[in-house]
Structures are given as structure tokens and as C-alpha cells.
Amino acid sequence: MQSFFSALPCSRTLRQLGSIACAALLLAACSSSGGGGGGGTPPAASVTISGTAAAGAPVVGFVAVRDSSANPQPVRTNIPIEANGHYSVDVTGLTAPFAFLASGTVGGKAVSLYSAATQADVGRTINITPFTDLIIRNIAAGAVDAYINNGAFTGLTPAELDAQRVALTNQLAPALTAMGLSSSIDLLRATFNADSTGLDRFMDVVKVSTTPTGATITNILDAANQLILDTAGVPTSPPLGTGGLSSVDQIAQTFQQIAAFFATGLPDPANQALVALFSNTFLEDGENRSAFLTDITTDPTLIGLKISNLVVDSVDTTARTAQVHFTPQDAAGLCLAHDVVGCSLSWQMIENGIGSGVWQIAGNRRIARVSVRTHATRNICASNTNCQPVGTTTYATGLSLNINNEGLQSIGSAVVTGPGLPNGGVTLTAQVNFTWFAISNPLPSCQGCTTDFFTMTDQQIALVVPNSTYTVQLFDLSGTPISGATYTEVVPVPPVLNAALPTMAYPSITSGTQNLAGIPTATLTPSWNIPAGLFGDILSVFVFQTDLVGQNLQNLNVRADVRTNGTATSGTSTLVIPAPTTGGSWTNGGYSIHAWDQYTGVVSTHYQ
């Protein structure tokens, strides 16, 4: 049964946590111009600066620190940001003032946020948020990178830092007081948790959008009343209005109620209180409300469901809709949205009647499950029936183009376009008796089966840059584009180069396999291993039956869940292969095991 947040590609893989672990951005520097009023004297003892790196939800990524010495690179890099957004860095021996950069993702969206500290802040709290980022941009009065690199940053003084902090706080005062916060709160140094309370709740509602020349600050519940800042931090429109803030709390209440239904067991899909949390126009990857509720109420992995990092991205006060993203977790805290960047799902919410205060979930509004992910695979030839020569291992790299019509919509084909793909894109077509779509190029080695895996050369991979965007357009059965069914997918990192494939770590089946040729039925107990750094997903056995002239009669794929949390893990699964419904025995088959990497890319091993 399909999981609440599962994917179903050709391999029927489950979604895997794909948090971005971006390398810290290098801040190349010119020579230091002296400490100014902010410092010049390194700390004498082991001391730290710590705080919270968040933008409505914790940043999934790392912090880099630049000091005011002549070092041309960040002096501290790859400082981990914890799940609650907390970070801490030892600045022993470094020269103040300091510049901080938190880079990674929030809700699957790439972010780069700046902050700064002077010698007076050593041993204290320094946050890294959209508001601290704006404070530094206002001080820079232009591009932040240039400000850091041209030597001006080393003259940052406590007075200058505080002046810009106070100026921004004053401009935000109406919205701060409306949310019960002090109009003089220290946006740079106030201690807070990324838990949708206090200052974090303020960031849930008040969004900062920066440009090379300034920023726009919007209260998503009062979007018509914006605060526009230039790079000097001078407001060019009135301060933010207070706006009603109840919608955010009401939306959060909906998710709290969902989690409560799964706290100790699986609810009845016909429970009207549960049904009422979902809009009658609900659509999630092609599934309507009834089908979706049937799925989630029959999935034991959802017992103890937790909803974390809920962020309201926008509220349309006219249409009474909102866009949110959140992290779904199982009872053990493992991600349930496995193949989503940052383990964050995006849903639309609809208020059930103007002013009712009841916000219902409307789903992701897609008519099919769509994803574009990197894929690196190892193919081990174990049977001379399926491949030649026996005993050899081959590798392939490229993109997995997953189109899955789980909702059985009238979709005939899809075209995927983007960097590294051929001009005109890659066409995938619906497969008879299956819900997945495949590239129109059958693979003779597996008796007519097809694939969604587009293999790439290193020249094609060179065209793929980090966070490349791919467009997926769906067509109906007559080949006409379906209105509103064009989606975009972001690939965090390029596929692995072909030369690097043999040295990669792959999931493996270590024992318990048998020759599948000619078996009528079988109970298999394969043992498996997921290397550290990969997130286990699915182990599957594929069998097929052909007639005397080689025509395919029947296919069957039996799967077992091997989810892991990114640490080295092994285990044994049981898979039962039933007899073919057409009678007789299975002609042959093979095994595969899939995992995800930290960027949501597929890493797999196939045994033929």
C-alpha cells in the first residue's frame, strides 16, 4: 500500500530525506584594512559564538565564518546546523569582526543568509536569519560579497551594527507588537527556538525578499501593505500594517489535528472529523481525497506521525488560500518525504468559507507524481540468461525522470526538458498495465521492460549546474498538452561523473539470493547493507514469464522496505514470490536495491 508520503517510480521507491548539505560558500578576500572599532584583537581564551540559523524553519546546511585577518578564505567552514537550527563555532584565535554565512535549504528552497559579530559579541548569541541578512546588506549599502572582500568589512563597529539593527527593528515595530513581541527586540542577538513560537513565529509570517538593490518585507497576512527598503535601509513605503495573524495559527491547528489522529494508531478513513480536514477538491499527485485517505489510514509507518517545521509561505486573502511547507516524520523522527529536497512537502490550504477559520488541506494540486533526480547505478551480471558476460559489473549515471499516474488520470505522455537533456527534451510514455511512464526505448536485456533512467555522458553532465531547473509537461491520450499540468523540478547537484562511478559506495544484497530461472514460487530472505551516508529505500525482486517465442506474458515486482537514517545499516528481508497467474513457472528475474543520497539522488545496485 502506498505510504502517506511515498513515491512510486518504475522501481516503486519510497521518498527519502534529501537534505541539502551544501558546502559553505567561499568568501574570497582582499587584504585586511585593520580592525576599526570592531576589533583587531583575537580572543585570548577558547570562546564560542552560537545562535539559531533559520528562516521560518531551521536551515538545513552549514555555517561558514570569515574573520578580519588576511586569510583569503573562510576560517571556519562546514559548521553543522542542528535539526533545531542551532549552531556553535569556536572563534579562538580569530580576529574580530566576524562575518557568518548560513547556506543550505529551508523547505527545500536554497538559501544563503548573512550575519555579523564584533569583538563585543564573543561568547554571546548571534543569529543568522533573513533579518540579520538584511542588517548586513544595509551596512554594505550594496553587494555583501563585495563589502566583505574589499576590506570595508574589517572596519565594522559595534555602533554601526547596532544602528542598523535598531533601524530595521523600528521599521518592523507594528508587525512585532501585533504578534506580541517587543518593538525593541534584538533581531540579531535574541535567543529563540525554531519551533514556530516567538521570533520564529514572526519569521513564519513576515517574509524578506532581497534583490541586488534592496529588499521587500511582506506580512503574508497583509500582503498589500509592504515595506520596501533600499540598500541604505531607508523605507520607501509605510511600515508594515498589523494585519490579522490568526490564519497562521488556524493552519497550524489543522496539522496538529492530523497528527493527533495518528498518535497511537490508524484512524478510520470515513471518520468525518478526519475527512473535514481535507478539501473536497483535494488533489495529491492525481489522487482525490477518498483515495488519499484510504492510503494514509492503512499505512502502519504513519502511527506516531509528527509534523514539524511548518511554514506558511503565503496567504491569498482574496481567494482564501495559502501555501505551506512542512516536514513529515515517523514516530522515530525519520523523514517520510524521502525524495523531497530538504524533506519538505508543499501543500495548498483552502479556508472552508470566508472567515470560518477552518483551513483544509488541498494537496499539491498535481495530477501525477513527478520528480527529476540524479541516479547512479551499478549493474552486476550474475546470470547468462539476462546479461553477458557473466561476472562483470557495469555502471551508469544520469537522471531518473519519474512520472507516475497513480490517480489514473487521462495522461498519455510527458516531455522533460532541461540542462543536459537533448534538444526537444526526453519523451516518456504510459506503460500498459502499469502506472509509471518510461522512455520510449525498450531494454532487450530485461525482456521488453522499459526505464525512466536517462543515462548521460560527462559532456551532458557538464551542462548541469547546482539547482538546475527541469520542466515536465504532461500530455493527454491524444498528445495535446494538458492545461495546468506543466511542473518544474529542481536538481540540487549534477549527476556523478562516469569516471567516479566505480569508487562510489552502493547499497548491496549480501546473501540470500537464488537463481530465479524456472521457479514456480519462492520465499526469499535476502540480506542487505546500506553504506553510511546513504538512506535505505527499497529492496525488490523482479520476475517475468515469456512464451516459447519470447513474448512477455507477465511481470511481477515484489518489494521490501529497507529504510534507514543515513548510518551504516544491514538487515534481512522476506519476499514471497507467488506463482504466475498464467500458470507454469517464471522464466527468469533479478534483484535490485535502492537508496537515496543526501541530495535526494538515487543510488542503486541491480543484480541480473
Side-chain angles (χ1 to χ4, degrees):
M1 178 60 63
Q2 178 193 349
S3 170
F4 190 1
F5 305 106
S6 68
L8 183 58
C10 181
S11 61
R12 183 97 182 175
T13 54
L14 297 175
R15 293 192 173 200
Q16 178 57 286
L17 168 65
S19 60
I20 296 272
C22 301
L25 180 64
L26 297 180
L27 307 177
C30 299
S31 60
S32 171
S33 62
T41 303
S46 176
V47 289
T48 61
I49 293 177
S50 59
T52 301
V59 176
V60 179
F62 296 90
V63 170
V65 180
R66 171 73 180 277
D67 77 346
S68 294
S69 67
N71 194 319
Q73 303 293 343
V75 289
R76 298 282 190 271
T77 60
N78 295 330
I79 300 161
I81 300 171
E82 299 173 10
N84 61 3
H86 184 265
Y87 81 94
S88 182
V89 56
D90 187 338
V91 295
T92 301
L94 305 187
T95 304
F98 311 103
F100 299 83
L101 174 66
S103 57
T105 62
V106 173
K109 301 175 183 178
V111 296
S112 294
L113 301 173
Y114 288 95
S115 191
T118 66
Q119 181 65 42
D121 295 304
V122 173
R124 302 174 63 186
T125 295
I126 290 293
N127 298 315
I128 311 175
T129 71
F131 299 116
T132 68
D133 182 82
L134 186 53
I135 290 170
I136 305 309
R137 290 176 185 273
N138 287 339
I139 293 173
V144 179
D145 288 346
Y147 169 70
I148 293 173
N149 294 340
N150 65 15
F153 156 70
T154 61
L156 177 66
T157 67
E160 185 179 17
L161 186 59
D162 280 331
Q164 287 297 338
R165 174 187 61 78
V166 171
L168 178 60
T169 306
N170 289 340
Q171 291 154 9
L172 295 173
L176 286 165
T177 56
M179 295 190 65
L181 297 173
S182 170
S183 60
S184 61
I185 188 172
D186 190 331
L187 296 172
L188 187 65
R189 303 179 182 90
T191 300
F192 75 97
N193 297 318
D195 58 2
S196 294
T197 63
L199 183 56
D200 188 61
R201 183 169 177 266
F202 183 74
M203 287 190 288
D204 286 343
V205 175
V206 180
K207 308 297 184 182
V208 178
S209 176
T210 59
T211 67
T213 58
T216 299
I217 305 178
T218 305
N219 180 338
I220 63 174
L221 301 176
D222 189 17
N225 193 354
Q226 294 180 326
L227 176 65
I228 301 173
L229 305 179
D230 62 21
T231 53
V234 178
T236 58
S237 66
L240 285 172
T242 57
L245 302 176
S246 61
S247 296
V248 171
D249 295 326
Q250 292 160 356
I251 290 170
Q253 186 178 43
T254 297
F255 283 90
Q256 291 166 2
Q257 291 172 334
I258 289 177
F261 273 109
F262 292 85
T264 58
L266 294 174
D268 183 344
N271 185 314
Q272 289 305 300
L274 174 64
V275 173
L277 298 176
F278 296 83
S279 167
N280 58 12
T281 62
F282 177 91
L283 186 65
E284 175 77 6
D285 293 334
E287 286 195 326
N288 61 20
R289 178 172 65 180
S290 176
F292 186 78
L293 287 175
T294 297
D295 284 342
I296 67 176
T297 55
T298 54
D299 185 352
T301 66
L302 293 182
I303 298 175
L305 170 69
K306 302 173 183 177
I307 303 293
S308 63
N309 300 333
L310 174 66
V311 174
V312 180
D313 294 304
S314 62
V315 175
D316 187 327
T317 55
T318 301
R320 305 308 298 168
T321 60
Q323 198 69 29
V324 305
H325 63 264
F326 63 96
T327 300
Q329 297 171 315
D330 65 14
L334 292 179
C335 170
L336 288 167
H338 305 297
D339 70 345
V340 177
V341 175
C343 187
S344 183
L345 296 182
S346 179
W347 275 357
Q348 186 184 82
M349 306 292 291
I350 298 176
E351 188 177 19
N352 185 22
I354 295 177
S356 72
V358 177
W359 287 83
Q360 297 176 309
I361 296 168
N364 65 9
R365 315 308 298 159
R366 291 187 173 189
I367 67 170
R369 188 179 297 281
V370 171
S371 71
V372 178
R373 294 291 180 265
T374 61
H375 193 158
T377 188
R378 176 178 63 170
N379 297 287
I380 298 174
C381 181
S383 168
N384 57 15
T385 302
N386 291 340
C387 55
Q388 292 286 348
V390 176
T392 59
T393 299
T394 58
Y395 303 89
T397 181
L399 293 173
S400 178
L401 313 176
N402 174 225
I403 317 294
N404 201 298
N405 188 12
E406 297 169 355
L408 302 180
Q409 306 286 330
S410 297
I411 309 170
S413 63
V415 174
V416 183
T417 56
L421 299 182
N423 292 333
V426 176
T427 298
L428 298 96
T429 55
Q431 302 300 292
V432 178
N433 299 324
F434 294 98
T435 60
W436 67 75
F437 286 45
I439 299 170
S440 303
N441 182 21
L443 302 176
S445 62
C446 61
Q447 300 296 324
C449 68
T450 54
T451 181
D452 63 3
F453 182 21
F454 181 78
T455 59
M456 302 175 73
T457 66
D458 286 350
Q459 286 182 321
Q460 292 171 315
I461 293 173
L463 301 175
V464 184
V465 299
N467 295 317
S468 286
T469 298
Y470 291 81
T471 299
V472 182
Q473 185 172 28
L474 304 183
F475 296 81
D476 64 20
L477 299 176
S478 67
T480 302
I482 300 174
S483 177
T486 299
Y487 310 119
T488 58
E489 288 287 301
V490 175
V491 175
V493 295
V496 176
L497 293 173
N498 284 272
L501 290 171
T503 63
M504 286 183 56
Y506 294 87
S508 60
I509 301 175
T510 56
S511 64
T513 61
Q514 69 177 63
N515 192 324
L516 300 173
I519 63 168
T521 63
T523 297
L524 307 172
T525 56
S527 296
W528 45 269
N529 180 70
I530 307 295
L534 295 180
F535 300 84
D537 184 29
I538 287 290
L539 184 153
S540 64
V541 176
F542 175 81
V543 289
F544 59 87
Q545 184 187 51
T546 58
D547 59 21
L548 294 177
V549 294
Q551 295 298 312
N552 185 58
L553 296 177
Q554 188 179 357
N555 298 309
L556 178 67
N557 202 345
V558 180
R559 305 166 181 86
D561 185 352
V562 295
R563 287 190 304 149
T564 61
N565 62 0
T567 60
T569 307
S570 59
T572 300
S573 298
T574 300
L575 300 97
V576 178
I577 308 297
T581 58
T582 53
S585 300
W586 296 106
T587 303
N588 212 322
Y591 300 80
S592 67
I593 183 167
H594 286 72
W596 300 94
D597 65 20
Q598 61 183 329
Y599 303 107
T600 73
V602 182
V603 182
S604 63
T605 299
H606 300 265
Y607 301 83
Q608 296 183 327

